[in-house]
Amino acid sequence: LLLLVEYYFVFKTSLTHPKVVMNKKKTLLDNVYCNICKVYYNPKNKVEHCNFCKVCVEKMDHHCVWVGKCVAKNNAFYFFE
């Protein structure tokens, strides 16, 4: 039973989108620009660029090779359970 619960959380983590920043327009004066992704983001959201995924991710913890994506804002709950 414990193994099934573990598999559930691994699949839930890998199927949940990690909250990628996709803002192409500068809306506020305090926005920061990522030269690699060509997007603007608010520095208060703790956005980091993932070199594996080649995108900026909000509240990124790390890139997990086991689930094949970043562990960030939307899927961190399932990863740490």
Side-chain angles (χ1 to χ4, degrees):
L1 181 64
L2 186 60
L3 187 62
L4 290 175
V5 171
E6 183 178 339
Y7 281 138
Y8 168 77
F9 283 117
V10 168
F11 287 122
K12 190 70 173 169
T13 303
S14 65
L15 295 176
T16 305
H17 199 270
K19 185 68 175 170
V20 175
V21 177
M22 301 172 68
N23 187 14
K24 299 285 184 180
K25 297 180 182 177
K26 186 173 183 179
T27 56
L28 300 173
L29 296 175
D30 62 343
N31 280 356
V32 178
Y33 184 71
C34 177
N35 291 325
I36 301 168
C37 296
K38 311 285 192 260
V39 294
Y40 290 95
Y41 61 87
N42 190 347
K44 295 176 186 175
N45 293 342
K46 299 179 183 175
V47 175
E48 291 184 37
H49 181 80
C50 177
N51 291 326
F52 294 101
C53 298
K54 308 288 190 238
V55 293
C56 286
V57 182
E58 189 175 329
K59 294 185 181 175
M60 179 178 163
D61 185 52
H62 67 283
H63 181 87
C64 182
V65 295
W66 299 109
V67 296
K69 61 174 54 178
C70 296
V71 176
K73 181 179 180 179
N74 289 351
N75 61 357
F77 173 78
Y78 303 113
F79 185 81
F80 293 117
E81 284 301 317

